[in-house]
Amino acid sequence: MNQAHLSIRGIRKTFGSFTALDSISLDVRKNEFVCLLGPSGCGKTTLLRIIAGLEHPDTGAISAGGKDITALPPAQRNFGMVFQSYALFPNMTAAQNIAFGLKSRRLGKRDIAEKVRESLDLVDLWEMRDKYPSQLSGGQQQRIALARAVALSPDFLLLDEPLSALDAKVRHKLRGEIRALQEKIGVTTIMVTHDQEEALTMADRIVVMNNAEVAQIGTPREVYERPASPFVADFIGAINFLDGAELQERGLRGAGMMAVRPEHIGAEEPGSRGGIPAVVRGIEFRGPFYHVMLDVLDSSGEPLGRPMTIHVSAQHYQQLGLEKNKKLSLRLPEERLIAFEPQAAAK
Ligand SMILES: Nc1ncnc2c1ncn2[C@@H]1O[C@H](COP(=O)(O)OP(=O)(O)O)[C@@H](O)[C@H]1O
Ligand SMILES: [Mg+2]
């Protein structure tokens, strides 16, 4: 079934004269993991809060499972929520934190105990049940918060930057754990993040937002390989923008504004036919590859003041003997050139 589990239609939200969301429409399928991705202030949290019922839209409608829930209070929408700050009750143990929400559901003592055990097992923290939040690491606290959210068997899991406060190692590990848990219990999930790598690694589909609007909706590969606008191309991954007319002069297909990812540009010794001459301006070691900044040269070998970045493997780096001021010939494979619709190119 492809029927939208959650359907968001024409949502608009203003705070005074400020427009935080402008005609947002979006369908989320059952059991899908969707990421709202965009720069700080673009409206991600506001949209999540509207989905949760914590904020009311000026216009627009939200339906869940075919039922209009736009006017429903939060308590009558069955969602679990996890925030950036772990938001656990500091005076309650891990188990008590999870039991708290269940008590308000008027479950019996035995049912509660069972649910607590089940959800602690799910995040592999049963042995930490009697610890207070201050006795747990950030990653453990966030897993408890997650257990608390899923203990209520929510229809939707809403996550607002749940990994942002954690250090890199824990963050990377929890990405996989959250995704595995989501698949295991099969819960439709919407996660807010400003971290493109997080969205690319975790989401089934990414909703890229910018300035209160949806810039693009697509799978991670779609938004990376076929960005709908220069904004999306630039926000997700590294990119070089190119002038289509200039590409045409160099014998390539080109019109308007175009773009190419640094990892798709080839580098050879200078003078090879059909290549674009450039000179190395700076080199950053990135571990698996080198991020090399260049300046394109004109036909007489003069720098054009036009920066380009390419990614070069460690092996190729050695072969080329790359260093500052070295001249190279760049190759742009035509099939890797990204073109934009004229109206999108303005964004
Ligand atoms: N309650 C509010 N009152 C006034 N402005 C708000 C309120 N909530 C959010 N905003 C503004 O709306 C914009 C979007 O906020 P938010 O949804 O939190 O962005 P994001 O989560 O993408 O960083 C921001 O400019 C923010 O200052
Ligand atoms: Mg936010």
Side-chain angles (χ1 to χ4, degrees):
M1 285 276 287
N2 239 3
Q3 194 194 353
H5 193 40
L6 187 73
S7 174
I8 296 166
R9 284 285 163 274
I11 293 288
R12 182 178 164 79
K13 178 69 182 175
T14 54
F15 295 107
S17 61
F18 178 78
T19 304
L21 295 172
D22 198 2
S23 64
I24 304 281
S25 292
L26 161 70
D27 287 323
V28 180
R29 299 178 198 119
K30 197 165 167 54
N31 293 349
E32 197 174 21
F33 196 117
V34 166
C35 277
L36 307 181
L37 172 69
S40 174
C42 72
K44 306 180 295 294
T45 294
T46 304
L47 181 57
L48 200 72
R49 286 172 57 80
I50 286 175
I51 293 168
L54 300 167
E55 202 84 69
H56 276 284
D58 301 351
T59 59
I62 301 182
S63 62
K67 199 177 109 209
D68 190 324
I69 61 163
T70 317
L72 226 54
Q76 285 174 43
R77 305 183 187 198
N78 190 21
F79 63 88
M81 204 150 178
V82 177
F83 305 91
Q84 176 180 342
S85 57
Y86 320 124
L88 296 175
F89 303 113
N91 56 330
M92 292 185 194
T93 64
Q96 287 166 345
N97 261 283
I98 296 168
F100 183 81
L102 295 166
K103 281 177 188 153
S104 64
R105 291 262 170 120
R106 301 214 184 89
L107 289 176
K109 244 189 171 157
R110 275 182 60 159
D111 285 344
I112 290 179
E114 201 170 299
K115 282 254 177 208
V116 168
R117 164 141 213 161
E118 225 174 66
S119 43
L120 277 170
D121 274 343
L122 214 50
V123 295
D124 212 15
L125 284 178
W126 170 245
E127 71 280 12
M128 296 293 179
R129 61 193 175 280
D130 293 326
K131 300 267 192 237
Y132 288 89
S134 62
Q135 298 171 300
L136 298 168
S137 70
Q140 288 172 332
Q141 288 183 61
Q142 208 52 323
R143 279 152 68 199
I144 298 292
L146 204 59
R148 184 174 63 177
V150 301
L152 299 162
S153 309
D155 292 332
F156 302 99
L157 190 57
L158 307 179
L159 312 172
D160 194 352
E161 311 249 7
L163 304 176
S164 303
L166 305 169
D167 60 58
K169 195 107 191 172
V170 179
R171 202 162 64 225
H172 291 179
K173 187 162 163 283
L174 265 187
R175 276 182 197 164
E177 285 186 17
I178 290 180
R179 192 60 232 240
L181 180 143
Q182 184 265 345
E183 279 172 16
K184 189 170 175 193
I185 62 174
V187 61
T188 309
T189 301
I190 302 174
M191 182 175 96
V192 164
T193 180
H194 66 270
D195 181 332
Q196 39 127 345
E197 200 181 282
E198 216 164 275
L200 288 174
T201 54
M202 293 177 76
D204 291 318
R205 281 190 307 151
I206 299 176
V207 179
V208 187
M209 293 176 65
N210 185 30
N211 280 335
E213 291 180 354
V214 170
Q216 186 173 3
I217 302 177
T219 65
R221 277 192 66 173
E222 280 165 358
V223 296
Y224 187 80
E225 292 177 357
R226 294 199 300 281
S229 65
F231 168 80
V232 177
D234 199 27
F235 190 74
I236 299 176
I239 196 86
N240 293 287
F241 289 111
L242 308 163
D243 174 13
E246 190 187 326
L247 288 179
Q248 234 171 29
E249 280 169 28
R250 294 182 190 272
L252 290 156
R253 165 183 65 89
M257 184 193 271
M258 306 196 69
V260 64
R261 299 281 181 202
E263 69 270 29
H264 293 146
I265 301 177
E268 298 165 6
E269 289 295 340
S272 70
R273 278 168 50 132
I276 296 175
V279 58
V280 175
R281 290 299 189 208
I283 301 168
E284 284 173 12
F285 177 57
R286 296 277 180 95
F289 62 87
Y290 288 83
H291 182 90
V292 181
M293 291 148 280
L294 305 113
D295 193 351
V296 175
L297 303 174
D298 68 12
S299 51
S300 59
E302 288 301 311
L304 284 168
R306 191 156 318 147
M308 287 273 257
T309 60
I310 65 172
H311 289 172
V312 180
S313 72
Q315 193 191 0
H316 195 42
Y317 180 89
Q318 287 217 323
Q319 284 167 353
L320 284 171
L322 266 195
E323 59 185 0
K324 227 170 165 170
N325 297 323
K326 181 176 170 68
K327 289 187 177 171
L328 291 173
S329 179
L330 305 181
R331 289 208 167 266
L332 308 187
E334 281 215 337
E335 70 278 11
R336 294 298 194 175
L337 293 179
I338 298 164
F340 302 106
E341 299 288 329
Q343 73 271 26
K347 293 198 174 177

